[in-house]
């Protein structure tokens, strides 16, 4: 993928998304970002400072610890909900399959009817073309 052109807006978006450490940015953007930092040190430092402040606040917050009992309850509740949702999903899949089958049958019937009409029309056109190209005039044959 071709990296986008680096400008102050793009640099700010990357700093907001990936933080104040350019080493954590996508590899396709790092070289352009480093070149932009060298060319615009004040603007780059301002954007990176704000991103580093956000990083520091996020790293300072405590990591949540989930007990095994809560984990087991969540997994059990998810499996119960999945089983309860299955009959409705099964009915929906059956109705959807029936709809596809009906549409396919309608397409076959329509195609057969239209194909027969078009074949008859093509035969009539061929007979008329042959009659026009014939070397005899009706008066020669009948007279």
């Amino acid at each position: 993928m071709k990296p986008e052109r680096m400008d102050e807006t793009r640099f700010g978006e990357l700093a907001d998304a990936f933080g104040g450490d350019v080493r954590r940015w996508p590899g396709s953007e790092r070289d352009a970002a480093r070149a932009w930092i060298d060319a615009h040190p004040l603007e780059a430092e301002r954007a990176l400072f704000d991103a580093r402040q956000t990083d520091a606040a996020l790293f300072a917050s405590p990591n949540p610890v989930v007990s095994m009992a809560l984990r087991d309850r969540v997994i059990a509740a998810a499996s119960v909900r999945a089983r309860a949702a299955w009959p409705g999903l099964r009915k929906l899949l059956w109705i959807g399959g029936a709809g596809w089958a009906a549409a396919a049958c309608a397409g076959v019937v329509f195609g057969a009817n239209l194909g027969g009409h078009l074949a008859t029309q093509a035969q009539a056109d061929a007979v008329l073309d042959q009659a026009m190209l014939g070397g005899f005039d009706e008066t020669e044959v009948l007279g």
Side-chain angles (χ1 to χ4, degrees), residues 24-96:
R24 292 192 316 239
W25 292 16
S28 60
E29 303 280 359
R30 283 187 210 132
D31 292 335
R34 288 186 181 115
W36 198 82
I37 290 170
D38 293 340
H40 305 89
L42 293 177
E43 293 89 349
E45 185 54 39
R46 190 174 322 127
L48 291 176
F49 177 79
D50 291 341
R52 286 184 195 122
Q53 295 298 319
T54 303
D55 289 346
L58 290 173
F59 292 140
S61 64
N63 291 331
V65 177
V66 178
S67 69
M68 289 303 283
L70 177 60
R71 179 186 157 280
D72 293 341
R73 283 195 329 238
V74 169
I75 292 172
S79 66
V80 167
R81 285 187 187 155
R83 273 187 254 126
W86 175 250
L89 179 63
R90 190 172 177 177
K91 183 178 180 181
L92 180 66
L93 290 175
W94 187 88
I95 290 171

Side-chain angles (χ1 to χ4, degrees), residues 10-32:
R10 180 70 181 148
F11 189 85
E13 290 170 352
L14 290 168
D16 288 343
F18 297 103
D21 186 359
V22 178
R23 294 175 297 185
R24 292 192 316 239
W25 292 16
S28 60
E29 303 280 359
R30 283 187 210 132
D31 292 335

